[in-house]
Amino acid sequence: MTATEQATASDTQADLRATAARTLHDAKDKASDTVRKTAAAIDANPLAILVGGVAIGALAGALIPRSAREKELLAPLGSRIGDAARQAVSAAREAGKAELSNAGLTTDAARQRGKTLLDDVVKAISTAGSAAAEKARTSVKTASTDA
């Protein structure tokens, strides 16, 4: 290799080192900036970050296939959780019905209240229509006697 070729190779190597150093420095700056922005976003809205994390975890859990060992270990747990959830929903439904019944809010009572409300609305509309018609009649009589 000639002296010129060695100098060119040395310059190229130096340029590559400088470019790599700049790229590394820029990457460090961007990573640091991203960490700072992420921390600020978490501080500003931690609940959204939590919900997003749960959603990502659920998605990952749905996409990653279960192993035979996981199925073997978790199947009984899933059955117990499902049974407990069904019992909790049933208990909540019964407690809610009981509370509504104690408050007098049965299906029949709600129907009767709805009917009474509808009757009252019809009566109010009728009264308003009669009042408007009477006002129109008196306005027409007043206008015709003034003419």
Side-chain angles (χ1 to χ4, degrees):
M1 193 184 267
T2 67
T4 306
E5 289 173 332
Q6 283 182 339
T8 303
S10 179
D11 288 344
T12 302
Q13 187 178 18
D15 288 344
L16 287 173
R17 281 191 186 133
T19 301
R22 272 194 314 273
T23 302
L24 179 63
H25 178 50
D26 290 347
K28 284 181 180 179
D29 285 347
K30 286 181 182 179
S32 176
D33 189 42
T34 301
V35 167
R36 191 173 52 259
K37 287 180 181 178
T38 301
I42 290 171
D43 287 342
N45 199 352
L47 185 59
I49 300 301
L50 177 66
V51 170
V54 168
I56 290 170
L59 181 63
L63 294 177
I64 298 171
R66 290 186 195 101
S67 70
R69 181 74 175 146
E70 285 177 312
K71 288 178 186 176
E72 177 185 328
L73 292 174
L74 297 178
L77 179 63
S79 295
R80 284 194 308 252
I81 290 172
D83 290 343
R86 279 188 287 283
Q87 290 172 0
V89 167
S90 178
R93 183 183 309 122
E94 292 305 316
K97 284 181 180 178
E99 285 298 316
L100 290 173
S101 180
N102 290 340
L105 297 175
T106 63
T107 304
D108 292 334
R111 243 185 237 118
Q112 184 58 38
R113 286 184 185 179
K115 184 180 180 314
T116 302
L117 178 63
L118 181 61
D119 291 344
D120 291 345
V121 168
V122 168
K123 183 178 176 183
I125 291 171
S126 176
T127 303
S130 297
E134 183 61 32
K135 183 65 176 172
R137 266 193 295 265
T138 57
S139 293
V140 167
K141 284 182 183 177
T142 305
S144 64
T145 57
D146 288 342

